[in-house]
Amino acid sequence: MVDQPTNQRSKGVVVGYDESPSSVAALEWAAETARRWGTTLTVLHTADIAAAPVEPAYDVDRLPEAVGEAGRELLADGVARAEKLMTDSSRVVGVLAVGSPAAELVHASADADLVVTGSRGRGPLAAGLLGSVAFAVTAHAACPAVVVRAEPQTHLDHDHPVVVGVDASQPSERALDLAAEMAAVSGAPLHIVHVAHGFFSPDAQAYVESARAGTEHTNAVRAQAEDIVHRAADRARAAFANLPIETEVLYGSAGHVLSPLGEHASLIVVGTRGHGGFAGLLLGSVSHTVIHEAPCPVMIARA
């Protein structure tokens, strides 16, 4: 038996589309999610701002004919792809805008349940490969944001868990709720992980364990970590009684520890303390690291 989501998704999913491999992957992921949620999918394409007249600003109707036609054709391609993936094709909407893709997606996120973007690559030494659009949207979206990569994706199913990083913060609770819902509607297990501060060298660990109260301190850290994951599991079970749940405590730098879990996961969900909108804070270090390094789609949840 698959649990049903506790929330009614009425605003829908928005995905940026530009015909690139990463945007195709993002569109497919967004369509699958919108279909499972039973909500609408908005496919948004942004025409080149350089092709727009200065006055009136960003008017689609005043684009040069060739540019406007190219934009409409590309958008129609994205809509057609999405309609093939949705149970109800009438739930797919296409929007052509003029301006900055990141700004248009952030603007659209104010009236969405989820905004999805593609990304060109990953890696701790290739941060720029994430792409300015994906980074800006995850940093400033007013709703949860997902980054999907062009590389082959592991689909949400019973063999590939949804991983969520938890701590004692409010954004963590939001991430947990979203991760549990994503797992429940897709039949995937939920893997709840808390990353405690670790000991980064044998010498450091030996020092802490031998120093006064060292062992007592490390035992307290472990006990607190176990309490965090157990409380998180109880919260998820209260919402989705039939959801398979695994808990785990790991040690180290949270972003770098969570990211490799994406090798076998269908999705990693983390919270951020940013408030959304262009006046909001940028991504925290954990979410920033995970969206750059994880091989699977990553969802950033805000409180």
Side-chain angles (χ1 to χ4, degrees), residues 86-206:
M86 295 281 285
T87 304
D88 182 358
S89 61
S90 67
R91 289 181 177 269
V92 181
V93 178
V95 174
L96 178 63
V98 181
S100 158
E104 293 300 323
L105 286 165
V106 169
H107 178 73
S109 73
D111 296 311
D113 292 309
L114 188 70
V115 60
V116 185
T117 60
S119 174
R120 292 191 297 274
R122 65 185 176 94
L125 300 179
L129 289 176
L130 176 66
S132 59
V133 174
F135 182 81
V137 173
T138 51
H140 299 294
C143 68
V146 175
V147 176
V148 180
R149 307 192 184 283
E151 57 201 60
Q153 299 299 326
T154 299
H155 291 280
L156 286 154
D157 58 35
H158 65 277
D159 292 324
H160 302 94
V162 173
V163 173
V164 58
V166 299
D167 54 27
S169 67
Q170 187 175 1
S172 168
E173 290 185 350
R174 176 63 171 150
L176 174 66
D177 293 345
L178 284 167
E181 180 180 0
M182 292 297 294
V185 298
S186 60
L190 180 65
H191 185 182
I192 300 173
V193 180
H194 174 70
V195 182
H197 293 294
F199 308 112
F200 298 102
S201 71
D203 289 342
Q205 183 170 0

Side-chain angles (χ1 to χ4, degrees), residues 5 7 26 39 54 65 68 75 82 147 170 180 206 242 246 261-262 301:
N7 299 323
T39 191
V54 176
E65 183 177 353
L75 178 62
V147 176
Q170 187 175 1
N242 299 309
E246 176 187 1
L261 299 179

Side-chain angles (χ1 to χ4, degrees), residues 53 58-65 72 96 98:
Y58 311 150
D59 187 345
V60 173
D61 294 332
R62 296 192 66 216
L63 283 171
E65 183 177 353
R72 285 186 285 272
L96 178 63
V98 181

Side-chain angles (χ1 to χ4, degrees), residues 224-246:
Q224 182 183 38
E226 292 290 347
D227 182 66
I228 287 173
V229 294
H230 290 155
R231 286 177 179 271
D234 289 343
R235 182 184 177 98
R237 288 193 186 98
F240 303 101
N242 299 309
L243 182 61
I245 298 175
E246 176 187 1

